[in-house]
Structure formats: C-alpha cells, structure tokens
Amino acid sequence: MARSQVLWLIWVGFIVYVLFFAPPIAVDTFQPLLSGQLLSINPVLIALFSLVGIWLLIYSCLIFADGRMQSIPAWAFMLAAISTGVIGLIPYLALRQPNQSFEGEKDSWIAILDAQKTGIILTISTIVLVVYAIAWGDWTGFAQEFMTNRFVHGMTLANGLFCLLFPYPTLLEDDMARRGLTADSQLSRIAWIPLLGALVYLCLRPPMLVHRSLSRDALLK
C-alpha cells in the first residue's frame, strides 16, 4: 500500500476512534486549569501534555526545512497541529512529495531548527519532564484517567503516534539525505527508539548540505 494511503488510514482511524470509541470527556477535565489550581493536576498528565509540544518542535526541526521544497505550506499544517496535535500533522506527511535537497539560504527560523543546540535543549526539557512524571506522578490515577477520560486517552495515543510516525520512511529519510546520511546509517537505526531516538537524531545529525542557486554571471566565472 502506498505511503500516503497508510497515513490517511491512520489519520481517519485515529479521528474515528477518538470520536466514537474513546471514553467520554470528563466534565472537570479543564477545571484545574481554569481555576488556576495547577498543583492539583497529576504530574503525569502535565508531562504528557508538554510532550505533545516537544513532539511538535521535534517535527518542526524537519518539516520547515522540508517545506521549503514542497508545493504545500508547511507552516499552515504546523499551525493546525498546535491546536489539534497529530491530527494537524499527518495530512502534511501524507501530502508532501519525496525531496532530498535543500536550495537557497537558511532563514533565521530554519537555522535555529537546524542547530544541534536546539536538539540538546529539547532533550534536556524532555528528561526533566520524564523525571518529573516518574518521581512525582500518580500512575494509578493516570491509568484511571486513561480509561475514563477522552482527553487523556486521546493525548496518550497521540504521543504514541508521534513516536510511530517519526521514523516512518518519508520525512526522516529525506532529512537524512539532505545531510549526506544513508538509510542504513547508525542514526537511522537510533531514530526508531521511541522519543529518545528522535532526540538523539536531532543532537547528532550533521548540518544540511545546502545547494545555493548561482546566478548566470557567477556560473560564467
């Protein structure tokens, strides 16, 4: 089955499952946030919610450079993903075309996302969140919320989909090619490790091989 068809099936399946088969939305899901009682929220839920943001930044480190060479606007899909998470992200992965080059100069935003320092900052942030959840989280309470609360249920599954789709042979493969890496490199295998692999990849990947468009006069010199 074609890559895009698989992605569309995942997209539709996730939406249908969350809407019709996941637990109902609890009435008091957002009450602690609205009342400012942040300390009453289970640290596991805070970490999971924050990891959705971490994942969006991880994908941004690949997508905005990739979007330079696509006919569809990457920023529009990432903007949608801020409010809908993986639901806004998957259509970009399905609609984009394979492209293993990057032409022109990096703008300041792409330069930041391409920097290894960004990967290091995301890795440190993730470690802090995971330690926070493990050390102070109520995992029994989380399990109960997962079984009874649609928001928590869907957010947890979304984190799983982020992990699953990152090494899927499309976006990552092209990003590696832009850096002179082959599909059988060590970084390619590391990227399959859930969450940690994506972070290690961002920390260790070499800079992109930028193809600058030369003017006619420059080519004649």
Side-chain angles (χ1 to χ4, degrees), residues 33-45:
L33 290 175
L34 297 176
S35 60
Q37 300 174 354
L38 296 179
L39 294 179
S40 65
I41 303 176
N42 188 343
V44 179
L45 301 184

Side-chain angles (χ1 to χ4, degrees), residues 161-190:
L161 275 180
F162 280 126
C163 293
L164 177 67
L165 294 175
F166 183 80
Y168 190 78
T170 170
L171 186 66
L172 177 64
E173 184 177 301
D174 286 355
D175 188 77
M176 292 178 62
R178 294 188 191 101
R179 303 166 194 280
L181 299 172
T182 60
D184 60 348
S185 69
Q186 186 67 23
L187 274 181
S188 177
R189 290 187 284 270
I190 290 175

